[in-house]
Amino acid sequence: METRRSVLKTLAGSIGASACGLDSLETFARGLQDASSPDQGSLHQSSSSRPNIVCFVGEGLRWDEFSSAGNKLLQTPNMDRIGREGCTFRNGFVVNALCLPSRATMLTGMYSHTTGAVSNVEGKIPPRFPLVSDLLQQAGYETAFLGKSHIVGALMEHKWDYYFGFVGQADYYRPRITEGVRGQYGPAKTYAGEYVDTLLTRKAVAWLQQKRTKPFCLFLWFYAPHAPFFRPKDMVNDFNGVPIPKPPSFDEDLNGYPGKPRGVAEADNKVGYSEVYNDDPRSLEELVKNHYVGVEDNDRNVGAIWKELERQNLAGQTAVLLSSDHGFFLGEHHFYDKRLMYEPSIRVPMMLRYPGKVKPGVNSEEMVLNLDIAPTLLDIAGVPVPSDMQGKSFLPLAEGRQVPWRKDWLYEYYEYPGFENVRPCRGVRTGEYKLIHYFTEPQEWELYHVKSDPDEMNNLYGKPEFQQLTAQLKERMDALRKDTQDTYEYKPTGIPAHPGPPTTSESDLPRPK
């Protein structure tokens, strides 16, 4: 059986290019490359003055699943290091808490209603929206993507310098993954026997070891901890005997969700008595412990990248950003999964380390969004941010500069009916309050004072003393929709409500024409 030590040795040891099939792919791509094309790096500042970039994205990684966030059960020294040596944004959020829309937003700096990548069913990014990786590549960066994209086409219409990825769901020990070099892709291949994120990280380390004359941007987007929550072989017994505390809101279901909309009470994502395909956590303890194992596996994979950067003396020249595609319910309100606009679902980690620019140990309380990731990466690279990007760089905040910043923001969710059966909604989140509108009939509302009610137990909507505030927040939500050119009209997904036993996975469903 693998041990943690042997896994780390495999990940961070000396891995030649041939170990990940780069030799043959490189030859294939070289024969198709136009040798007369100019070096894009010559059109911009010299490569030696620009930082390398590593962007880690977790799958449902929560903001509080870190030792540095005060979690006493988890050990996350390698991810903690990003914040310890840089800036931790304590209020990071996503504008759509679902895999595909969130990932599209990270790559484009655009709302889902703008790109049309609004759900896991409607998930294509139109060609008119460049990815941040495209813009970095045009500016002279080498780019690599490894992991789960969930985007229709798996991002393979883009000319990555190196690619090792898949669309949505993966078999943890038999994933089918496509590999490519410089925009030329081989056939998908099954990799049997190796845990998927161990494999992804091994390939990333091998790519980092390639000779290059340009700065690089590595996107390493993990798969764990995604349901059905398979563990690495050497971690199957981790957290045995460890008590798991019950969230204060866990028993809301037993009381019928008092004060909450019926759409919330009727959502399918309940711990212990819901089954959605193969996604059926049977107890709070099982759910939390499996999730925590995935987080600690993420951490050791981040550690393998740190080790390779240090081996090459690149850590001081590399900016590192860590975030997640959404949060995840671990029993709050008796829920698992995400989608709803409650804090465990929409709140994500956001850490940025940038030596020489961001001082170690900085904390920011400003509300930053996944919408801001693309402009931030461009800002780090010294690449102009397109004027139509709807996010804004949070690098100035990390640097400690006083800059105007948002006081509120717009949330949206559209995938309905089917799967977790969460009704579509929009909302506005301020520093103190949150207003949620379930806009299909029968329309329902929620209002929370998140400062005094962080567990979101007391719905204030409809109470006379909050009528004026409610009206103001409704006006503000309308203004944010106008500001972001939100003309999107919701249409049902075509997925059956309350799907039955597993015959396929969500990413394999037919998509609208």
Side-chain angles (χ1 to χ4, degrees), residues 334-369:
H334 213 94
F335 291 148
Y336 71 97
D337 200 68
K338 56 276 183 184
R339 304 169 193 259
L340 289 148
M341 198 189 163
Y342 295 152
E343 295 291 283
S345 171
I346 67 174
R347 198 168 175 185
V348 293
M350 199 76 76
M351 302 181 194
L352 175 62
R353 173 193 182 269
Y354 185 2
K357 292 287 188 178
V358 178
K359 294 179 180 179
V362 174
N363 293 309
S364 173
E365 302 298 329
E366 299 287 2
M367 293 186 291
V368 297
L369 310 175

Side-chain angles (χ1 to χ4, degrees), residues 98-161:
L98 188 62
C99 297
L100 191 155
S102 180
R103 291 162 187 263
T105 289
M106 290 184 201
L107 290 168
T108 63
M110 300 290 194
Y111 266 96
S112 359
H113 65 247
T114 301
T115 63
V118 296
S119 72
N120 287 345
V121 178
E122 291 182 86
K124 188 171 180 61
I125 301 175
R128 68 181 180 275
F129 297 103
L131 305 189
V132 61
S133 54
D134 298 331
L135 300 174
L136 290 170
Q137 196 174 61
Q138 292 167 17
Y141 272 74
E142 287 191 24
T143 61
F145 179 88
L146 295 96
K148 171 187 173 178
S149 67
H150 221 132
I151 310 298
V152 172
L155 305 177
M156 286 191 287
E157 67 272 31
H158 299 271
K159 193 177 179 181
W160 301 92
D161 290 286

Side-chain angles (χ1 to χ4, degrees), residues 446-464:
E446 293 179 276
L447 173 66
Y448 296 102
H449 186 227
V450 291
K451 286 290 187 181
S452 64
D453 180 22
D455 296 315
E456 296 166 297
M457 299 282 283
N458 183 21
N459 183 8
L460 305 175
Y461 187 82
K463 296 188 176 182

Side-chain angles (χ1 to χ4, degrees), residues 204-245:
V205 170
W207 182 74
L208 289 173
Q209 292 175 347
Q210 304 309 298
K211 293 181 180 179
R212 57 177 53 84
T213 58
K214 300 176 183 180
F216 63 80
C217 182
L218 166 65
F219 296 84
L220 180 52
W221 290 17
F222 299 120
Y223 184 62
H226 192 287
F229 304 115
F230 281 85
R231 298 184 178 199
K233 294 175 182 177
D234 63 314
M235 302 176 79
V236 293
N237 291 318
D238 285 19
F239 296 102
N240 277 7
V242 176
I244 298 298

Side-chain angles (χ1 to χ4, degrees), residues 47 49 159 476:
S47 61
S49 65
K159 193 177 179 181
R476 185 59 189 148

Side-chain angles (χ1 to χ4, degrees), residues 93 121 137 152 228 247 308 317 375 392 401 404 435:
F93 298 94
V121 178
Q137 196 174 61
V152 172
E308 181 58 30
Q317 307 162 40
K392 55 196 297 187
R401 288 189 269 154
L435 179 71

